[in-house]
Amino acid sequence: MSAACLVCGGPTSPLLDDVRDNRFGSPGTWSIRRCAACDTAQTDPLPTQGELIALYEAHYNYGGEAGTAYTGWRERLFASPLYRWFLRIDGDVSFHNQRGVGRLLDIGCNEGRGLSFYARGGFTVEGLELNANAAAAARRRGFTVHEVDIADFRPAAPFDRAVLSNVLEHALDPRAMLKHVHRILKPSGEVWISLPNRDSWLRRWFGRSWINWHVPFHITHFSAPALRQLLSQHGFEVVSERQVTPALWVAQSALAWRFDRSPRLAKLTRNPLAVVALMGAARGLLFPLWWLAHRLGHGDCLVIKARRR
């Protein structure tokens, strides 16, 4: 019996097999299955919520890593004016340059990096985060972070904005996540979503080495039409949509392809010198291809704002 689609419930068929975690090196292999009815794909077999939490705490962006060259360079970059300039050139897939007022909830806030930017942009911020290590780090930055699933979250007041920055694709039930986002927003409140585009030119180039399969952490792999349809079905109206190809994602996919199955891969994708050099080369040499890919709907990242109806 085929796995049912997480978005529409239809049957799925094999798309790709023998896919591994080429970011953090967590053990195991997975397959990717596609639904012909709604054009989404999903990771198979699906991990349980408990398995995912354990994997996040052991392997993900904040597993307690501190004091390394990677984390040191990363924090210096994010604190510098160079970072905001680079976002204007490369594309802001995390909404770090947004300005505004009102209550903002960062869902899957990790160690609070995004909360720092949103607070500087004028918003009153809170976060949701299930990774206990990351939530503790965000609280040490001075933020209110709720260590609870969104299904169980009951805010004191509704929010003006909810951010799902590279988060919706991690949900075991994306329909339920959007339903609860709708619940915690004010009328006409907005959800800001960014996530990898399954129709990406990088996915076509790199195949199973594409960094954004990101198994087992990425559960659902959306195309732009599928995401728009899902939002409409759950009470949202898309108000803006664009596509971005971050130079970092190009660099990491290239490294994953070149060093496929190498035990060095996880370290190489977090080596600041290797990554920055490849980012510069990609941004400088591939700009015309980037521009064309975005016009044809094949950018690597979908960035969408949708209003609650």
Side-chain angles (χ1 to χ4, degrees):
M1 183 177 177
S2 66
C5 175
L6 294 172
V7 172
C8 74
T12 60
S13 58
L15 180 66
L16 196 63
D17 61 6
D18 196 26
V19 183
R20 304 185 184 213
D21 177 11
N22 54 13
R23 287 198 189 183
F24 305 129
S26 56
T29 60
W30 284 265
S31 298
I32 307 296
R33 300 180 67 89
R34 176 181 174 273
C35 175
C38 70
D39 196 37
T40 53
Q42 63 194 51
T43 295
D44 184 68
L46 294 175
T48 66
Q49 185 68 35
E51 289 169 342
L52 272 179
I53 291 173
L55 283 164
Y56 280 117
E57 293 185 351
H59 297 282
Y60 211 66
N61 283 349
Y62 196 86
E65 180 182 1
T68 65
Y70 176 81
T71 56
W73 277 97
R74 184 180 67 185
E75 290 306 312
R76 282 191 287 273
L77 172 63
F78 290 146
S80 72
L82 177 64
Y83 178 63
R84 291 194 182 277
W85 173 83
F86 184 72
L87 289 180
R88 288 194 290 270
I89 301 299
D90 194 54
D92 183 5
V93 302
S94 298
F95 309 101
H96 287 172
N97 268 340
Q98 295 294 308
R99 297 287 186 273
V101 295
R103 286 168 47 78
L104 181 149
L105 180 69
D106 187 7
I107 301 166
C109 67
N110 213 301
E111 80 277 20
R113 183 193 318 157
L115 290 172
S116 299
F117 286 102
Y118 307 140
R120 273 182 247 163
F123 296 100
T124 302
V125 300
E126 296 179 29
L128 283 186
E129 179 55 57
L130 291 177
N131 180 336
N133 296 328
R139 293 189 191 106
R140 288 194 293 271
R141 292 177 183 243
F143 296 115
T144 298
V145 177
H146 308 276
E147 202 173 319
V148 62
D149 189 276
I150 191 169
D152 302 315
F153 181 49
R154 299 294 183 271
F159 290 89
D160 299 278
R161 304 287 185 271
V163 177
L164 290 170
S165 173
N166 290 285
V167 167
L168 185 62
E169 71 274 23
H170 292 252
L172 286 167
D173 189 342
R175 294 176 296 186
M177 175 168 278
L178 287 178
K179 179 184 74 172
H180 291 297
V181 169
H182 192 278
R183 171 177 58 80
I184 59 95
L185 281 173
K186 292 179 179 178
S188 298
E190 290 183 355
V191 58
W192 297 348
I193 299 173
S194 61
L195 47 73
N197 178 13
R198 190 177 60 78
D199 287 336
S200 161
W201 61 291
L202 291 183
R203 195 269 295 179
R204 295 165 189 261
W205 271 19
F206 292 115
R208 61 173 47 84
S209 295
W210 184 45
I211 203 75
N212 281 316
W213 289 127
H214 199 12
V215 295
F217 303 100
H218 286 185
I219 305 299
T220 307
H221 311 277
F222 289 97
S223 64
L227 181 56
R228 287 194 296 267
Q229 182 178 9
L230 184 65
L231 284 164
S232 178
Q233 290 170 347
H234 288 83
F236 291 98
E237 175 189 7
V238 173
V239 295
S240 72
E241 178 181 338
R242 58 193 173 90
Q243 297 194 7
V244 177
T245 299
L248 175 62
W249 293 9
V250 181
Q252 290 181 325
S253 286
L255 286 168
W257 172 78
R258 172 62 180 83
F259 296 97
D260 184 37
R261 309 300 163 90
S262 168
R264 300 170 54 205
L265 178 58
K267 288 187 177 180
L268 282 168
T269 56
R270 297 169 76 79
N271 181 306
L273 294 178
V275 170
V276 169
L278 280 170
M279 287 172 64
R283 173 53 68 183
L285 297 175
L286 299 177
F287 177 77
L289 182 59
W290 239 295
W291 181 88
L292 180 61
H294 296 166
R295 296 303 180 275
L296 296 176
H298 300 312
D300 210 40
C301 184
L302 304 174
V303 183
I304 287 178
K305 293 183 178 181
R307 183 179 298 121
R308 181 187 190 267
R309 293 199 298 262

